[in-house]
Amino acid sequence: MTLGPSALLPLPVAIPLVFCAVMLATAHLLPGRLPDILATLAALSVAILSGMIAVHAADGPLVYWFGGWEPRDGVHLGIGFGVDAASGWIAAFIGVLYVLTFIFAWGFFDRTHGHFHILMLLFLAAMIGFCFTRDMFNLFVWFEVMSVAAFALTAYHLEKSALSGAINFTVINSLAGFLMLGGIGLIYAQTGSLDFEGIASAVGRGGRDPVVAGAFCLVATALMIKGAIVPFQFWLADAHAVAPSPVSVIFSGAMVSLGLFGLAKVSAVVFAGSDQVQHALPTLLEGLGSITAILGGWMALLQRHMKRMLAFSTISHAGIMLTALGALSPAGTGGMLVYVVGHGLVKGALFMIAGILLATRASIDEIALRGLGRGIGPAGFAMALAGLLLCGLPIGVLDQGTRLVQGALWHQERWIALAAGAIGAGLTGAAVLRATGRIFLGLGPDPGDEGGAPSEDEREKANRPLWVMLGPCCVLLAFDVGLPASLIANATPEAASAFMHQPSVSAKAEGPAWLTWISVALALAGAGYGLFRTRLPKLVIRPLRATQSVPTRALELLHSGLIGDYAAWLAIGVALIASILAVS
Amino acid sequence: MSAILPLLFLLTALSGTAVVLVRDPTRQVFVIAVNGLVLTILFDALQAPDVALSELAVGSAAVPLLYLVALMAVRNQLPGKES
Amino acid sequence: MSVVSNILPYAVAVWLFGAGLYGIATSRNLIHLVGCLGVCQSATYVLLLGLGYRWGSIAPIFYDHPPGTPAVDPVMQALVLTDIVVGATLTALLLVLTIQVYKRSGSLDPEKLRPMRARQGSDRAEGSDRGHDGKRTVL
Amino acid sequence: MTPRIRVALLALAGVVLLPGAAAVITGLPPFGATIAQYGERINAITPEARHVANMVSAINFDLRGLDTLGEEFMLLAAITGTVVLLRGRRGEGNTERALRRPGRAVIPRSEAVVLVCRIAGPLTALFGLYVVVHATVTPGGGFQGGVILASGTLIIYLGEGYAGWRDAVRSHWLDGLEGGGALLFTLCGLAPMLTGAAFMQNIMPLGTFRDLMSGGLMLVENLGVALAVAGGFTQLFLEFMEETREADELDEPGEESA
């Protein structure tokens, strides 16, 4: 019955699951490197299949009904997968990221009977399911599988900080799951369907309905918690900083942006017919996104723990993606989708470099590492390049995404979002470049004793050859720089329209070229200030310090690491979203 | 019938609140088990026997058991002894 | 009576979620906190099953009654079944983390656990990750 | 942030959310008035289409079988995670035999307890099996039955003591059960695709309505879930119990050879 390219749709989810089950059933029999090989193969097949699906989906979205339960008389009976080109390419990107992560993690997890690989493959399958599904509750199921695998992976090191980070992550994301399920229950009771299209048509008929708005509030909150948007961002830095490096690559590269990907899909498809939601979205997304972009960038600049710094930079970039969604146009959403891929490539590479430092230099502290990176020059070069790409150096996929986003925002005259995005990108770039300069060139003031000795505790499997770790990192950066721009430029507008279920519009605008240069300049200035501050005249420094200290103190107080605080902020966030929905 | 359901809902609210308010984990375990039982009865009254059976097996047996074992593990442990 | 019973289940669900959240915000013991999270979750059970109920209907099992008898919503029940599995998995994982945290730090008080913050003795390099020290040297 | 500020923030959020919650609640259909069209439709067509009496099982294993597949692997993720997180400390080597609890006398179990447990154990197992096989006709199914079966193994612990329990329950077998069950379920999805049908399409003979053997492919899927859940939950119990053991052992490192 369902032959042709649609028949491929279940495979990228089912194949990793089969590998998982087989690996678990034979866990104690598997010899040394076999789990590494199997996991890489599984991820590779997912990447290839998703790519094939994406190519086929370019002609029109593919739909697949599980169990052969096709809709009858307008009632959606079973679960469907609906894949447009954009969802397919995102899935393929995730597959590639996993392949490279598995290579990066080759030999990382020796004595675990493949348990690490089982969890990672489950994580992968859940992400693909999340991308492909067109059923609200199925979305929730994959959301939860993703979360559960992530919780276990975070605490893998069993250090104190890893454990408490994992607890914060688990509690907040569990609450997200409950909120989402509540929202799904409401929307199901009101519309009588769980299918995206079914809900959308019922919502479109319904007019202004507080239940629909309430359901959207709950579901959007859950997805924003995953996407680490202020004021739900607290868990991210705690979790990403302590997870094993290969896991952090996936967290920052794919999981966070998938939350926003889900939000894009839900708000563009499911709630497209609700005027109340659509009116609230620009304010909501632009406001929260701008705050997130700047706060994340500022916090990144304050960190000396490199993975924590990268985690905050992920928060900042998630904010930029959210502002792009706020444009509510195919141009903005298309830019956001390209941005997701570009950001995932660059941020994945950066976390791999952090992992290399952990493995070869046994520390992740920027100050302690000062000058210690001289022996691994290629890593330093990669890190500098990644830092420049992160703040907007005008080459590569990330830059293309940035331009599309800026074009969409420029067109709609959203100056606040534009400024926040430029500043956020600049600040995170400054943080990365400063760390590069300090670690690999030995710049900046000598910390003396304060640097402290590297601690054995943080060491991550030192006995792996450097090229195994550096290779995937360079491949990621090569992907970002080398993917032909024309390919993306041609495919994006149509893919974005199909993604949003809107008629395709050809006109696409790019932002002014000088905007990205501002970010680059800001990043270089910030990095320079961080490294050569002591050489500046006192007259310049004192006022600068004074402007820093108060907001810095306040931000540090907010990021307390206490789960109770996070729960309170979560409630405030829900209230905020609800009030914006109420007044629009 | 129509009087029983509201009463059961109120009882659920009550037992749920009790789980939050009993702050000593050793006693909270029993409240959690009772809460599981109350939910089981409520689900059965809501014509959901499948769910009630799961809640009985998971909510009032397996999960409280895990709490008990966790408490035992924590109590047996001399704090901070293991590095 | 009827107005009350019309909205009571939903109000109970809201109450349970609020109570659980209050418990999480004020908890001083991680095991207690996990219990509170369970209360938040039971709010979703109550909400979903409440939404799927219809007066005078039978359970959606046509063994003693012939098919066609009005029955309550089986979809909601299937959703809650999945939800219960979610609850069990989360509880198990959180309790494991709690046990390990206790072994590491000797405390179950979330107020004393600050990931990546306070000085952790031999655990971490000299100089904390916390801002004040960090700010002086980094920025 | 002090707890007082925190509660104040929560209260503030609550006050803001209250009108919204009230609007949502009053916007919903009154409790017990009606059910959604989707559920109504399933109640109407499934008994005839799939020859099963239990609608919830039909949804779990057939109409929305993919959700259950995800749910099963969620369980698998949680249990794998538990094993990794608990064993990470103990080391893999210690998992094969029961850790002893030195320094605490083993209280001899009375004959009566042993006898009761030897009777109750098989009875629980029987009940679990009953719940498993009746998935398509009466309340119950692989998940519920699996949990009951796993709890049944704990009765061995009560009756035969910890060492006896560990002798009866091997971690590798549980891995095999869990992974095998999950694999069976996934293959139930993939196998129909070989015949050109859809993933998890019910292509087996459906049996007679209200019969134990009704439901076709659902029966196999149910079995897979039962295996995975029974193995998984037993593994969970085992790892947790082991945790209480190790604690004692570490109290007296002198006897670590145990």
Side-chain angles (χ1 to χ4, degrees), chain A residues 158 181 188 242 305 308 434 450 458 533 548 553 559, chain C residues 48 73 76 83 104 116-117 124 132 136-139:
Chain A
L158 292 176
L181 187 58
Y188 170 54
V242 296
H305 183 288
R308 199 168 157 79
R434 184 195 66 206
E450 211 184 334
E458 301 199 324
R533 186 178 60 243
Q548 283 166 21
R553 202 70 55 76
H559 290 80
Chain C
L48 291 184
D73 191 343
M76 285 293 190
D83 196 19
R104 270 288 173 178
M116 311 289 308
R117 299 300 196 293
R124 196 151 286 290
H132 305 316
R136 193 152 37 80
T137 51
V138 180
L139 196 96

PDB file of all heavy atoms in Angstrom, chain A residues 158 181 188 242 305 308 434 450 458 533 548 553 559, chain C residues 48 73 76 83 104 116-117 124 132 136-139:
ATOM      1  N   LEU A 158      29.472  10.989  37.192  1.00  0.00           N
ATOM      2  CA  LEU A 158      29.222  10.742  38.611  1.00  0.00           C
ATOM      3  C   LEU A 158      30.031  11.628  39.543  1.00  0.00           C
ATOM      4  O   LEU A 158      30.306  11.266  40.671  1.00  0.00           O
ATOM      5  CB  LEU A 158      29.494   9.276  38.966  1.00  0.00           C
ATOM      6  CG  LEU A 158      28.532   8.256  38.357  1.00  0.00           C
ATOM      7  CD1 LEU A 158      28.965   6.866  38.700  1.00  0.00           C
ATOM      8  CD2 LEU A 158      27.124   8.509  38.859  1.00  0.00           C
ATOM      9  N   LEU A 181       2.188  17.673  28.435  1.00  0.00           N
ATOM     10  CA  LEU A 181       1.114  16.684  28.408  1.00  0.00           C
ATOM     11  C   LEU A 181      -0.212  17.333  28.789  1.00  0.00           C
ATOM     12  O   LEU A 181      -1.252  17.036  28.181  1.00  0.00           O
ATOM     13  CB  LEU A 181       1.446  15.535  29.360  1.00  0.00           C
ATOM     14  CG  LEU A 181       0.490  14.365  29.302  1.00  0.00           C
ATOM     15  CD1 LEU A 181       0.430  13.800  27.900  1.00  0.00           C
ATOM     16  CD2 LEU A 181       0.908  13.283  30.268  1.00  0.00           C
ATOM     17  N   TYR A 188      -6.561  18.262  22.938  1.00  0.00           N
ATOM     18  CA  TYR A 188      -7.266  17.073  22.460  1.00  0.00           C
ATOM     19  C   TYR A 188      -8.732  17.117  22.871  1.00  0.00           C
ATOM     20  O   TYR A 188      -9.625  16.834  22.065  1.00  0.00           O
ATOM     21  CB  TYR A 188      -6.587  15.809  22.989  1.00  0.00           C
ATOM     22  CG  TYR A 188      -7.385  14.549  22.747  1.00  0.00           C
ATOM     23  CD1 TYR A 188      -7.814  14.219  21.469  1.00  0.00           C
ATOM     24  CD2 TYR A 188      -7.728  13.709  23.797  1.00  0.00           C
ATOM     25  CE1 TYR A 188      -8.553  13.082  21.243  1.00  0.00           C
ATOM     26  CE2 TYR A 188      -8.471  12.571  23.580  1.00  0.00           C
ATOM     27  CZ  TYR A 188      -8.884  12.261  22.303  1.00  0.00           C
ATOM     28  OH  TYR A 188      -9.637  11.144  22.082  1.00  0.00           O
ATOM     29  N   VAL A 242      28.625  19.889  32.640  1.00  0.00           N
ATOM     30  CA  VAL A 242      29.131  18.724  33.350  1.00  0.00           C
ATOM     31  C   VAL A 242      29.013  17.431  32.561  1.00  0.00           C
ATOM     32  O   VAL A 242      29.608  16.429  32.926  1.00  0.00           O
ATOM     33  CB  VAL A 242      28.402  18.555  34.701  1.00  0.00           C
ATOM     34  CG1 VAL A 242      28.707  19.731  35.597  1.00  0.00           C
ATOM     35  CG2 VAL A 242      26.919  18.391  34.502  1.00  0.00           C
ATOM     36  N   HIS A 305      35.162  28.571  33.200  1.00  0.00           N
ATOM     37  CA  HIS A 305      35.013  27.155  32.903  1.00  0.00           C
ATOM     38  C   HIS A 305      34.545  27.063  31.457  1.00  0.00           C
ATOM     39  O   HIS A 305      33.443  27.511  31.118  1.00  0.00           O
ATOM     40  CB  HIS A 305      33.978  26.559  33.857  1.00  0.00           C
ATOM     41  CG  HIS A 305      33.781  25.085  33.709  1.00  0.00           C
ATOM     42  ND1 HIS A 305      33.135  24.543  32.637  1.00  0.00           N
ATOM     43  CD2 HIS A 305      34.153  24.054  34.491  1.00  0.00           C
ATOM     44  CE1 HIS A 305      33.113  23.222  32.780  1.00  0.00           C
ATOM     45  NE2 HIS A 305      33.727  22.906  33.899  1.00  0.00           N
ATOM     46  N   ARG A 308      31.128  25.621  30.477  1.00  0.00           N
ATOM     47  CA  ARG A 308      30.041  26.450  30.959  1.00  0.00           C
ATOM     48  C   ARG A 308      29.896  27.693  30.082  1.00  0.00           C
ATOM     49  O   ARG A 308      28.790  28.135  29.777  1.00  0.00           O
ATOM     50  CB  ARG A 308      30.315  26.833  32.410  1.00  0.00           C
ATOM     51  CG  ARG A 308      29.101  27.302  33.163  1.00  0.00           C
ATOM     52  CD  ARG A 308      29.399  27.375  34.651  1.00  0.00           C
ATOM     53  NE  ARG A 308      28.485  28.305  35.297  1.00  0.00           N
ATOM     54  CZ  ARG A 308      27.242  28.009  35.611  1.00  0.00           C
ATOM     55  NH1 ARG A 308      26.755  26.827  35.340  1.00  0.00           N
ATOM     56  NH2 ARG A 308      26.452  28.890  36.185  1.00  0.00           N
ATOM     57  N   ARG A 434      38.601  35.078  23.331  1.00  0.00           N
ATOM     58  CA  ARG A 434      39.450  35.372  24.484  1.00  0.00           C
ATOM     59  C   ARG A 434      40.059  34.074  25.028  1.00  0.00           C
ATOM     60  O   ARG A 434      41.256  33.984  25.297  1.00  0.00           O
ATOM     61  CB  ARG A 434      38.609  36.051  25.574  1.00  0.00           C
ATOM     62  CG  ARG A 434      39.428  36.477  26.766  1.00  0.00           C
ATOM     63  CD  ARG A 434      38.537  36.788  27.938  1.00  0.00           C
ATOM     64  NE  ARG A 434      37.866  35.574  28.387  1.00  0.00           N
ATOM     65  CZ  ARG A 434      36.706  35.572  29.029  1.00  0.00           C
ATOM     66  NH1 ARG A 434      36.072  36.693  29.249  1.00  0.00           N
ATOM     67  NH2 ARG A 434      36.182  34.435  29.421  1.00  0.00           N
ATOM     68  N   GLU A 450      46.824  31.733  41.137  1.00  0.00           N
ATOM     69  CA  GLU A 450      45.369  31.631  41.052  1.00  0.00           C
ATOM     70  C   GLU A 450      44.918  30.602  40.023  1.00  0.00           C
ATOM     71  O   GLU A 450      43.847  30.047  40.124  1.00  0.00           O
ATOM     72  CB  GLU A 450      44.779  32.988  40.717  1.00  0.00           C
ATOM     73  CG  GLU A 450      43.422  33.157  41.323  1.00  0.00           C
ATOM     74  CD  GLU A 450      42.836  34.470  40.900  1.00  0.00           C
ATOM     75  OE1 GLU A 450      43.584  35.398  40.581  1.00  0.00           O
ATOM     76  OE2 GLU A 450      41.606  34.539  40.873  1.00  0.00           O
ATOM     77  N   GLU A 458      38.865  15.815  36.473  1.00  0.00           N
ATOM     78  CA  GLU A 458      38.172  16.241  35.272  1.00  0.00           C
ATOM     79  C   GLU A 458      38.704  15.577  34.031  1.00  0.00           C
ATOM     80  O   GLU A 458      38.154  15.724  32.961  1.00  0.00           O
ATOM     81  CB  GLU A 458      38.321  17.754  35.118  1.00  0.00           C
ATOM     82  CG  GLU A 458      37.749  18.496  36.309  1.00  0.00           C
ATOM     83  CD  GLU A 458      37.477  19.926  35.967  1.00  0.00           C
ATOM     84  OE1 GLU A 458      38.272  20.484  35.195  1.00  0.00           O
ATOM     85  OE2 GLU A 458      36.485  20.461  36.448  1.00  0.00           O
ATOM     86  N   ARG A 533      43.485  43.904  29.219  1.00  0.00           N
ATOM     87  CA  ARG A 533      42.867  44.914  30.060  1.00  0.00           C
ATOM     88  C   ARG A 533      43.923  45.663  30.864  1.00  0.00           C
ATOM     89  O   ARG A 533      43.888  46.878  31.019  1.00  0.00           O
ATOM     90  CB  ARG A 533      41.862  44.249  30.986  1.00  0.00           C
ATOM     91  CG  ARG A 533      41.051  45.171  31.804  1.00  0.00           C
ATOM     92  CD  ARG A 533      40.070  44.388  32.633  1.00  0.00           C
ATOM     93  NE  ARG A 533      40.756  43.466  33.527  1.00  0.00           N
ATOM     94  CZ  ARG A 533      40.639  42.144  33.466  1.00  0.00           C
ATOM     95  NH1 ARG A 533      39.885  41.609  32.551  1.00  0.00           N
ATOM     96  NH2 ARG A 533      41.275  41.379  34.319  1.00  0.00           N
ATOM     97  N   GLN A 548      30.157  47.241  34.726  1.00  0.00           N
ATOM     98  CA  GLN A 548      30.016  45.788  34.722  1.00  0.00           C
ATOM     99  C   GLN A 548      29.481  45.233  36.027  1.00  0.00           C
ATOM    100  O   GLN A 548      28.697  44.303  36.035  1.00  0.00           O
ATOM    101  CB  GLN A 548      31.376  45.122  34.505  1.00  0.00           C
ATOM    102  CG  GLN A 548      31.855  45.144  33.095  1.00  0.00           C
ATOM    103  CD  GLN A 548      33.317  44.779  33.057  1.00  0.00           C
ATOM    104  OE1 GLN A 548      33.825  44.164  33.971  1.00  0.00           O
ATOM    105  NE2 GLN A 548      33.969  45.175  31.996  1.00  0.00           N
ATOM    106  N   ARG A 553      26.881  41.085  39.159  1.00  0.00           N
ATOM    107  CA  ARG A 553      26.524  40.539  40.478  1.00  0.00           C
ATOM    108  C   ARG A 553      25.108  39.981  40.452  1.00  0.00           C
ATOM    109  O   ARG A 553      24.838  38.886  40.925  1.00  0.00           O
ATOM    110  CB  ARG A 553      26.658  41.666  41.506  1.00  0.00           C
ATOM    111  CG  ARG A 553      26.840  41.262  42.925  1.00  0.00           C
ATOM    112  CD  ARG A 553      28.202  40.636  43.191  1.00  0.00           C
ATOM    113  NE  ARG A 553      29.349  41.435  42.793  1.00  0.00           N
ATOM    114  CZ  ARG A 553      29.803  42.498  43.470  1.00  0.00           C
ATOM    115  NH1 ARG A 553      29.193  42.921  44.553  1.00  0.00           N
ATOM    116  NH2 ARG A 553      30.878  43.126  43.070  1.00  0.00           N
ATOM    117  N   HIS A 559      21.698  32.954  38.792  1.00  0.00           N
ATOM    118  CA  HIS A 559      22.084  31.590  38.415  1.00  0.00           C
ATOM    119  C   HIS A 559      22.634  30.866  39.628  1.00  0.00           C
ATOM    120  O   HIS A 559      23.811  30.541  39.716  1.00  0.00           O
ATOM    121  CB  HIS A 559      23.116  31.629  37.287  1.00  0.00           C
ATOM    122  CG  HIS A 559      22.533  32.087  36.000  1.00  0.00           C
ATOM    123  ND1 HIS A 559      22.311  33.399  35.713  1.00  0.00           N
ATOM    124  CD2 HIS A 559      22.096  31.402  34.930  1.00  0.00           C
ATOM    125  CE1 HIS A 559      21.781  33.517  34.506  1.00  0.00           C
ATOM    126  NE2 HIS A 559      21.631  32.312  34.014  1.00  0.00           N
TER     127      HIS A 559
ATOM    128  N   LEU C  48      -6.164  14.413  32.496  1.00  0.00           N
ATOM    129  CA  LEU C  48      -6.449  13.649  31.278  1.00  0.00           C
ATOM    130  C   LEU C  48      -7.657  12.731  31.475  1.00  0.00           C
ATOM    131  O   LEU C  48      -8.567  12.688  30.641  1.00  0.00           O
ATOM    132  CB  LEU C  48      -5.231  12.829  30.864  1.00  0.00           C
ATOM    133  CG  LEU C  48      -4.031  13.620  30.350  1.00  0.00           C
ATOM    134  CD1 LEU C  48      -2.945  12.696  29.893  1.00  0.00           C
ATOM    135  CD2 LEU C  48      -4.437  14.528  29.220  1.00  0.00           C
ATOM    136  N   ASP C  73     -13.588   7.656  27.012  1.00  0.00           N
ATOM    137  CA  ASP C  73     -12.588   7.834  25.955  1.00  0.00           C
ATOM    138  C   ASP C  73     -11.382   6.924  26.177  1.00  0.00           C
ATOM    139  O   ASP C  73     -10.635   7.102  27.141  1.00  0.00           O
ATOM    140  CB  ASP C  73     -12.145   9.300  25.932  1.00  0.00           C
ATOM    141  CG  ASP C  73     -11.327   9.628  24.702  1.00  0.00           C
ATOM    142  OD1 ASP C  73     -10.842   8.676  24.062  1.00  0.00           O
ATOM    143  OD2 ASP C  73     -11.183  10.815  24.385  1.00  0.00           O
ATOM    144  N   MET C  76      -7.602   8.757  25.983  1.00  0.00           N
ATOM    145  CA  MET C  76      -7.050   9.387  27.180  1.00  0.00           C
ATOM    146  C   MET C  76      -6.420   8.339  28.086  1.00  0.00           C
ATOM    147  O   MET C  76      -5.376   8.562  28.685  1.00  0.00           O
ATOM    148  CB  MET C  76      -8.156  10.108  27.946  1.00  0.00           C
ATOM    149  CG  MET C  76      -8.578  11.405  27.307  1.00  0.00           C
ATOM    150  SD  MET C  76      -7.265  12.625  27.375  1.00  0.00           S
ATOM    151  CE  MET C  76      -8.144  14.077  26.842  1.00  0.00           C
ATOM    152  N   ASP C  83       1.927   7.836  30.345  1.00  0.00           N
ATOM    153  CA  ASP C  83       2.350   8.806  31.343  1.00  0.00           C
ATOM    154  C   ASP C  83       2.833   8.103  32.613  1.00  0.00           C
ATOM    155  O   ASP C  83       3.812   8.522  33.238  1.00  0.00           O
ATOM    156  CB  ASP C  83       1.168   9.728  31.654  1.00  0.00           C
ATOM    157  CG  ASP C  83       1.597  10.979  32.376  1.00  0.00           C
ATOM    158  OD1 ASP C  83       2.791  11.297  32.317  1.00  0.00           O
ATOM    159  OD2 ASP C  83       0.736  11.626  32.985  1.00  0.00           O
ATOM    160  N   ARG C 104      28.326  11.248  47.352  1.00  0.00           N
ATOM    161  CA  ARG C 104      29.360  12.204  47.030  1.00  0.00           C
ATOM    162  C   ARG C 104      29.481  13.297  48.074  1.00  0.00           C
ATOM    163  O   ARG C 104      30.570  13.695  48.457  1.00  0.00           O
ATOM    164  CB  ARG C 104      29.053  12.859  45.676  1.00  0.00           C
ATOM    165  CG  ARG C 104      29.644  12.146  44.526  1.00  0.00           C
ATOM    166  CD  ARG C 104      31.114  12.362  44.550  1.00  0.00           C
ATOM    167  NE  ARG C 104      31.763  11.538  43.537  1.00  0.00           N
ATOM    168  CZ  ARG C 104      33.070  11.575  43.317  1.00  0.00           C
ATOM    169  NH1 ARG C 104      33.805  12.389  44.023  1.00  0.00           N
ATOM    170  NH2 ARG C 104      33.602  10.821  42.415  1.00  0.00           N
ATOM    171  N   MET C 116      28.657  23.274  39.917  1.00  0.00           N
ATOM    172  CA  MET C 116      29.679  24.132  39.327  1.00  0.00           C
ATOM    173  C   MET C 116      29.797  25.459  40.045  1.00  0.00           C
ATOM    174  O   MET C 116      30.116  26.455  39.440  1.00  0.00           O
ATOM    175  CB  MET C 116      29.333  24.441  37.872  1.00  0.00           C
ATOM    176  CG  MET C 116      28.972  23.294  37.027  1.00  0.00           C
ATOM    177  SD  MET C 116      30.380  22.297  36.704  1.00  0.00           S
ATOM    178  CE  MET C 116      31.503  23.509  36.108  1.00  0.00           C
ATOM    179  N   ARG C 117      29.498  25.497  41.312  1.00  0.00           N
ATOM    180  CA  ARG C 117      29.578  26.785  41.973  1.00  0.00           C
ATOM    181  C   ARG C 117      30.652  26.802  43.041  1.00  0.00           C
ATOM    182  O   ARG C 117      31.796  27.068  42.767  1.00  0.00           O
ATOM    183  CB  ARG C 117      28.233  27.148  42.619  1.00  0.00           C
ATOM    184  CG  ARG C 117      27.104  27.264  41.666  1.00  0.00           C
ATOM    185  CD  ARG C 117      27.382  28.340  40.633  1.00  0.00           C
ATOM    186  NE  ARG C 117      26.170  28.722  39.948  1.00  0.00           N
ATOM    187  CZ  ARG C 117      25.505  27.931  39.138  1.00  0.00           C
ATOM    188  NH1 ARG C 117      25.924  26.718  38.901  1.00  0.00           N
ATOM    189  NH2 ARG C 117      24.407  28.362  38.574  1.00  0.00           N
ATOM    190  N   ARG C 124      38.195  20.221  42.689  1.00  0.00           N
ATOM    191  CA  ARG C 124      38.273  21.182  41.615  1.00  0.00           C
ATOM    192  C   ARG C 124      39.558  21.981  41.741  1.00  0.00           C
ATOM    193  O   ARG C 124      40.176  22.027  42.804  1.00  0.00           O
ATOM    194  CB  ARG C 124      37.075  22.118  41.765  1.00  0.00           C
ATOM    195  CG  ARG C 124      36.769  22.931  40.561  1.00  0.00           C
ATOM    196  CD  ARG C 124      35.295  23.221  40.566  1.00  0.00           C
ATOM    197  NE  ARG C 124      34.536  22.038  40.199  1.00  0.00           N
ATOM    198  CZ  ARG C 124      34.510  21.505  38.999  1.00  0.00           C
ATOM    199  NH1 ARG C 124      35.214  22.035  38.038  1.00  0.00           N
ATOM    200  NH2 ARG C 124      33.789  20.439  38.744  1.00  0.00           N
ATOM    201  N   HIS C 132      32.625  35.945  41.313  1.00  0.00           N
ATOM    202  CA  HIS C 132      33.404  37.039  41.871  1.00  0.00           C
ATOM    203  C   HIS C 132      34.888  36.846  41.605  1.00  0.00           C
ATOM    204  O   HIS C 132      35.573  37.717  41.114  1.00  0.00           O
ATOM    205  CB  HIS C 132      33.129  37.162  43.363  1.00  0.00           C
ATOM    206  CG  HIS C 132      31.677  37.300  43.638  1.00  0.00           C
ATOM    207  ND1 HIS C 132      30.880  38.130  42.905  1.00  0.00           N
ATOM    208  CD2 HIS C 132      30.875  36.687  44.530  1.00  0.00           C
ATOM    209  CE1 HIS C 132      29.638  38.051  43.343  1.00  0.00           C
ATOM    210  NE2 HIS C 132      29.608  37.174  44.329  1.00  0.00           N
ATOM    211  N   ARG C 136      37.198  38.826  38.419  1.00  0.00           N
ATOM    212  CA  ARG C 136      38.418  39.576  38.619  1.00  0.00           C
ATOM    213  C   ARG C 136      39.487  39.148  37.599  1.00  0.00           C
ATOM    214  O   ARG C 136      40.220  39.972  37.073  1.00  0.00           O
ATOM    215  CB  ARG C 136      38.919  39.344  40.040  1.00  0.00           C
ATOM    216  CG  ARG C 136      39.995  40.289  40.471  1.00  0.00           C
ATOM    217  CD  ARG C 136      39.967  40.479  41.984  1.00  0.00           C
ATOM    218  NE  ARG C 136      39.631  39.258  42.711  1.00  0.00           N
ATOM    219  CZ  ARG C 136      40.502  38.292  42.968  1.00  0.00           C
ATOM    220  NH1 ARG C 136      41.720  38.378  42.518  1.00  0.00           N
ATOM    221  NH2 ARG C 136      40.128  37.239  43.665  1.00  0.00           N
ATOM    222  N   THR C 137      39.536  37.875  37.339  1.00  0.00           N
ATOM    223  CA  THR C 137      40.613  37.412  36.484  1.00  0.00           C
ATOM    224  C   THR C 137      40.211  37.321  35.027  1.00  0.00           C
ATOM    225  O   THR C 137      41.036  37.512  34.154  1.00  0.00           O
ATOM    226  CB  THR C 137      41.072  36.025  36.943  1.00  0.00           C
ATOM    227  OG1 THR C 137      39.922  35.206  37.054  1.00  0.00           O
ATOM    228  CG2 THR C 137      41.771  36.105  38.259  1.00  0.00           C
ATOM    229  N   VAL C 138      38.984  37.014  34.790  1.00  0.00           N
ATOM    230  CA  VAL C 138      38.611  36.760  33.404  1.00  0.00           C
ATOM    231  C   VAL C 138      38.250  38.035  32.691  1.00  0.00           C
ATOM    232  O   VAL C 138      38.607  38.253  31.541  1.00  0.00           O
ATOM    233  CB  VAL C 138      37.425  35.783  33.331  1.00  0.00           C
ATOM    234  CG1 VAL C 138      37.064  35.549  31.880  1.00  0.00           C
ATOM    235  CG2 VAL C 138      37.792  34.482  33.973  1.00  0.00           C
ATOM    236  N   LEU C 139      37.538  38.869  33.355  1.00  0.00           N
ATOM    237  CA  LEU C 139      37.056  40.039  32.628  1.00  0.00           C
ATOM    238  C   LEU C 139      37.541  41.303  33.300  1.00  0.00           C
ATOM    239  O   LEU C 139      37.300  41.502  34.452  1.00  0.00           O
ATOM    240  CB  LEU C 139      35.534  40.023  32.577  1.00  0.00           C
ATOM    241  CG  LEU C 139      34.980  40.956  31.545  1.00  0.00           C
ATOM    242  CD1 LEU C 139      34.706  40.197  30.269  1.00  0.00           C
ATOM    243  CD2 LEU C 139      33.710  41.581  32.043  1.00  0.00           C
TER     244      LEU C 139
END
